[in-house]
Protein backbone atom coordinates (compact mmCIF):
# COMPACT_ATOMS: atom_id res chain seq x y z
CA UNK A 1 0.00 0.00 0.00
CA UNK A 2 1.33 3.42 -0.97
CA UNK A 3 1.86 5.97 1.80
CA UNK A 4 2.00 9.75 1.64
CA UNK A 5 4.32 11.94 3.68
CA UNK A 6 2.31 13.45 6.55
CA UNK A 7 4.16 16.78 6.98
CA UNK A 8 3.64 18.08 3.40
CA UNK A 9 -0.10 17.36 3.71
CA UNK A 10 -0.30 19.27 7.00
CA UNK A 11 1.60 22.25 5.52
CA UNK A 12 -0.64 22.22 2.45
CA UNK A 13 -3.78 22.15 4.61
CA UNK A 14 -2.54 24.99 6.85
CA UNK A 15 -1.57 27.12 3.85
CA UNK A 16 -5.00 26.67 2.26
CA UNK A 17 -6.74 27.45 5.54
CA UNK A 18 -4.75 30.69 5.97
CA UNK A 19 -5.59 31.86 2.42
CA UNK A 20 -9.26 31.03 2.91
CA UNK A 21 -9.42 32.92 6.23
CA UNK A 22 -7.61 35.93 4.74
CA UNK A 23 -10.11 36.18 1.86
CA UNK A 24 -13.06 36.10 4.26
CA UNK A 25 -11.54 38.80 6.46
CA UNK A 26 -10.71 40.98 3.45
CA UNK A 27 -14.29 40.84 2.18
CA UNK A 28 -15.64 41.61 5.64
CA UNK A 29 -13.36 44.59 6.24
CA UNK A 30 -13.56 45.97 2.66
CA UNK A 31 -17.23 45.78 1.58
CA UNK A 32 -18.38 47.55 -1.60
CA UNK A 33 -18.38 51.30 -1.10
CA UNK A 34 -21.66 53.11 -0.55
CA UNK A 35 -20.59 55.89 -2.93
CA UNK A 36 -17.78 56.45 -5.35
CA UNK A 37 -16.60 59.33 -7.51
CA UNK A 38 -17.20 58.73 -11.19
CA UNK A 39 -15.17 60.09 -14.03
CA UNK A 40 -15.53 63.82 -14.48
CA UNK A 41 -18.42 64.59 -16.84
CA UNK A 42 -18.86 67.97 -18.50
CA UNK A 43 -22.19 69.10 -17.13
CA UNK A 44 -21.73 72.77 -18.01
CA UNK A 45 -23.00 72.28 -21.55
CA UNK A 46 -26.65 72.96 -20.80
CA UNK A 47 -29.44 73.98 -23.12
CA UNK A 48 -32.80 75.56 -22.35
CA UNK A 49 -35.75 73.63 -23.80
CA UNK A 50 -39.23 75.12 -24.08
CA UNK A 51 -42.43 73.01 -24.10
CA UNK A 52 -46.07 73.95 -24.53
CA UNK A 53 -48.94 71.48 -24.23
CA UNK A 54 -52.33 70.83 -22.61
CA UNK A 55 -53.09 68.45 -19.74
CA UNK A 56 -56.48 66.67 -19.78
CA UNK A 57 -57.75 65.42 -16.41
CA UNK A 58 -60.96 63.40 -16.65
CA UNK A 59 -62.68 62.30 -13.43
CA UNK A 60 -65.80 60.65 -14.84
CA UNK A 61 -67.37 59.14 -17.92
CA UNK A 62 -66.53 55.97 -19.79
CA UNK A 63 -62.77 56.25 -19.62
CA UNK A 64 -61.60 58.35 -16.66
CA UNK A 65 -57.91 59.28 -16.50
CA UNK A 66 -57.92 60.22 -12.81
CA UNK A 67 -59.06 57.81 -10.09
CA UNK A 68 -59.57 58.58 -6.42
CA UNK A 69 -57.58 56.14 -4.26
CA UNK A 70 -57.92 57.68 -0.78
CA UNK A 71 -59.99 60.12 1.23
CA UNK A 72 -59.85 61.54 4.73
CA UNK A 73 -61.75 59.65 7.42
CA UNK A 74 -62.47 62.99 9.11
CA UNK A 75 -64.66 65.48 7.28
CA UNK A 76 -62.47 68.50 8.05
CA UNK A 77 -63.15 70.69 5.02
CA UNK A 78 -65.63 69.30 2.46
CA UNK A 79 -65.44 72.46 0.34
CA UNK A 80 -61.71 72.01 -0.33
CA UNK A 81 -61.74 68.15 -0.28
CA UNK A 82 -58.75 68.20 2.07
CA UNK A 83 -57.15 64.73 2.24
CA UNK A 84 -58.44 63.30 -1.06
CA UNK A 85 -55.82 61.57 -3.22
CA UNK A 86 -56.00 60.82 -6.96
CA UNK A 87 -53.77 58.75 -9.23
CA UNK A 88 -53.61 60.00 -12.82
CA UNK A 89 -52.63 58.90 -16.30
CA UNK A 90 -53.64 62.01 -18.23
CA UNK A 91 -53.14 62.72 -21.95
CA UNK A 92 -50.87 65.60 -22.98
CA UNK A 93 -51.84 67.20 -26.30
CA UNK A 94 -50.55 69.92 -28.60
CA UNK A 95 -53.87 71.80 -28.54
CA UNK A 96 -56.65 72.24 -25.99
CA UNK A 97 -59.13 69.83 -27.60
CA UNK A 98 -59.24 66.10 -26.98
CA UNK A 99 -58.77 65.52 -30.72
CA UNK A 100 -55.41 67.32 -30.76
CA UNK A 101 -52.24 65.35 -31.38
CA UNK A 102 -51.11 63.49 -28.26
CA UNK A 103 -47.48 64.18 -27.35
CA UNK A 104 -47.29 62.25 -24.10
CA UNK A 105 -48.94 61.33 -20.82
CA UNK A 106 -48.82 62.72 -17.30
CA UNK A 107 -48.51 59.86 -14.83
CA UNK A 108 -48.45 60.39 -11.09
CA UNK A 109 -50.73 61.67 -8.38
CA UNK A 110 -52.19 64.72 -6.73
CA UNK A 111 -53.69 65.27 -3.30
CA UNK A 112 -55.91 68.02 -1.98
CA UNK A 113 -53.54 69.47 0.60
CA UNK A 114 -55.12 72.77 1.68
CA UNK A 115 -57.88 73.28 4.26
CA UNK A 116 -58.47 76.92 3.33
CA UNK A 117 -58.70 76.75 -0.49
CA UNK A 118 -58.74 74.22 -3.34
CA UNK A 119 -55.03 73.52 -3.44
CA UNK A 120 -53.20 70.47 -4.72
CA UNK A 121 -49.82 68.91 -4.11
CA UNK A 122 -48.89 67.44 -7.50
CA UNK A 123 -46.14 64.94 -8.37
CA UNK A 124 -46.12 63.78 -11.99
CA UNK A 125 -43.89 62.37 -14.69
CA UNK A 126 -44.46 63.81 -18.14
CA UNK A 127 -43.76 60.79 -20.37
CA UNK A 128 -43.13 61.98 -23.93
CA UNK A 129 -44.17 59.80 -26.86
CA UNK A 130 -43.12 61.68 -30.01
CA UNK A 131 -39.98 62.80 -31.80
CA UNK A 132 -36.52 62.77 -30.30
CA UNK A 133 -37.97 62.96 -26.78
CA UNK A 134 -39.95 59.72 -27.08
CA UNK A 135 -39.36 57.61 -23.97
CA UNK A 136 -37.80 60.46 -21.98
CA UNK A 137 -39.53 61.99 -18.97
CA UNK A 138 -39.68 65.27 -17.07
CA UNK A 139 -40.67 65.17 -13.40
CA UNK A 140 -42.56 68.03 -11.79
CA UNK A 141 -43.47 68.64 -8.16
CA UNK A 142 -45.28 71.50 -6.52
CA UNK A 143 -48.32 73.39 -5.29
CA UNK A 144 -51.30 74.05 -7.55
CA UNK A 145 -53.90 76.53 -6.29
CA UNK A 146 -56.64 75.62 -8.72
CA UNK A 147 -58.55 78.91 -8.72
CA UNK A 148 -55.48 81.09 -9.25
CA UNK A 149 -55.10 82.58 -12.71
CA UNK A 150 -51.50 81.36 -13.06
CA UNK A 151 -49.54 78.84 -11.00
CA UNK A 152 -45.96 77.64 -10.98
CA UNK A 153 -44.34 74.32 -10.13
CA UNK A 154 -40.77 73.06 -10.12
CA UNK A 155 -39.11 70.73 -12.59
CA UNK A 156 -37.13 68.50 -10.24
CA UNK A 157 -35.56 65.97 -12.60
CA UNK A 158 -36.05 63.63 -15.49
CA UNK A 159 -34.80 60.61 -17.37
CA UNK A 160 -33.41 59.80 -20.80
CA UNK A 161 -32.64 63.07 -22.58
CA UNK A 162 -33.65 64.93 -19.42
CA UNK A 163 -31.12 63.58 -16.96
CA UNK A 164 -30.06 66.36 -14.56
CA UNK A 165 -33.11 68.40 -15.68
CA UNK A 166 -34.18 71.47 -13.71
CA UNK A 167 -36.52 74.34 -14.38
CA UNK A 168 -40.11 75.37 -13.85
CA UNK A 169 -43.62 74.92 -15.21
CA UNK A 170 -46.33 77.57 -15.54
CA UNK A 171 -49.97 76.51 -15.48
CA UNK A 172 -53.17 78.20 -16.62
CA UNK A 173 -56.63 76.66 -16.51
CA UNK A 174 -58.11 76.50 -20.01
CA UNK A 175 -61.45 74.98 -18.97
CA UNK A 176 -62.91 73.46 -15.82
CA UNK A 177 -66.08 71.45 -15.17
CA UNK A 178 -67.32 68.99 -12.57
CA UNK A 179 -65.62 66.03 -14.27
CA UNK A 180 -62.98 67.50 -16.57
CA UNK A 181 -60.09 69.94 -16.28
CA UNK A 182 -57.93 71.13 -19.17
CA UNK A 183 -54.80 72.97 -18.12
CA UNK A 184 -52.22 74.74 -20.28
CA UNK A 185 -48.61 73.91 -19.35
CA UNK A 186 -45.57 75.94 -20.34
CA UNK A 187 -42.23 74.40 -19.34
CA UNK A 188 -38.77 75.90 -19.40
CA UNK A 189 -36.23 73.16 -18.73
CA UNK A 190 -32.46 73.19 -18.47
CA UNK A 191 -30.95 69.86 -19.45
CA UNK A 192 -27.58 68.53 -20.51
CA UNK A 193 -26.98 69.51 -24.14
CA UNK A 194 -24.77 66.47 -24.90
CA UNK A 195 -27.78 64.16 -24.93
CA UNK A 196 -26.08 61.23 -26.66
CA UNK A 197 -23.46 60.95 -23.96
CA UNK A 198 -26.08 61.59 -21.28
CA UNK A 199 -27.95 58.47 -22.36
CA UNK A 200 -24.96 56.27 -23.15
CA UNK A 201 -22.19 57.17 -20.67
CA UNK A 202 -21.32 53.86 -18.97
CA UNK A 203 -20.25 55.53 -15.71
CA UNK A 204 -23.82 56.71 -15.20
CA UNK A 205 -25.60 53.39 -15.55
Amino acid sequence: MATFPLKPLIYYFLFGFIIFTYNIQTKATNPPKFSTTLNTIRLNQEKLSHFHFYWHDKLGGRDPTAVQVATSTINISPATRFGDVYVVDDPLTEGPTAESKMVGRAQGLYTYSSKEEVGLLMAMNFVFMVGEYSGSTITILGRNIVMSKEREMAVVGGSGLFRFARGYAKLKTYSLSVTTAIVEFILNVYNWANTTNAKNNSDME
Side-chain angles (χ1 to χ4, degrees):
M1 180 181 296
T3 59
F4 298 95
L6 185 59
K7 286 185 178 182
L9 289 176
I10 294 175
Y11 293 151
Y12 180 79
F13 174 77
L14 289 175
F15 178 76
F17 179 77
I18 292 171
I19 296 298
F20 176 73
T21 304
Y22 174 77
N23 288 335
I24 292 178
Q25 290 178 344
T26 300
K27 291 180 179 180
T29 57
N30 297 290
K33 292 183 178 180
F34 171 68
S35 67
T36 57
T37 301
L38 302 177
N39 294 334
T40 301
I41 301 172
R42 297 177 64 185
L43 299 180
N44 59 341
Q45 297 180 358
E46 288 184 312
K47 68 175 182 179
L48 178 61
S49 300
H50 179 82
F51 297 90
H52 178 255
F53 50 77
Y54 291 83
W55 174 84
H56 299 255
D57 193 51
K58 187 178 179 183
L59 298 175
R62 295 177 55 189
D63 187 22
T65 62
V67 178
Q68 186 173 357
V69 295
T71 189
S72 174
T73 58
I74 304 173
N75 193 11
I76 298 176
S77 182
T80 65
R81 305 186 63 181
F82 179 70
D84 288 358
V85 181
Y86 283 78
V87 172
V88 303
D89 185 6
D90 292 330
L92 304 175
T93 62
E94 283 187 343
T97 65
E99 294 76 23
S100 298
K101 180 182 178 181
M102 185 183 297
V103 296
R105 302 197 72 88
Q107 298 173 338
L109 58 85
Y110 58 78
T111 178
Y112 288 81
S113 56
S114 174
K115 294 191 293 183
E116 306 299 329
E117 55 192 341
V118 182
L120 309 176
L121 169 64
M122 305 187 75
M124 294 186 295
N125 291 318
F126 292 147
V127 185
F128 295 107
M129 302 166 57
V130 296
E132 64 176 309
Y133 300 115
S134 181
S136 297
T137 67
I138 291 175
T139 303
I140 66 166
L141 175 68
R143 181 173 181 247
N144 180 5
I145 303 302
V146 174
M147 295 304 172
S148 296
K149 181 178 180 181
E150 187 173 89
R151 292 87 77 189
E152 188 172 308
M153 290 193 289
V155 171
V156 296
S159 65
L161 298 183
F162 296 106
R163 291 181 178 180
F164 302 108
R166 56 190 175 85
Y168 65 94
K170 285 189 174 183
L171 296 70
K172 290 182 180 180
T173 300
Y174 178 82
S175 66
L176 183 64
S177 68
V178 175
T179 59
T180 305
I182 302 175
V183 178
E184 180 184 19
F185 272 82
I186 298 174
L187 272 65
N188 289 292
V189 182
Y190 277 107
N191 60 293
W192 193 16
N194 194 347
T195 52
T196 302
N197 288 338
K199 294 188 72 173
N200 300 327
N201 191 294
S202 59
D203 288 333
M204 298 164 59
E205 296 300 327

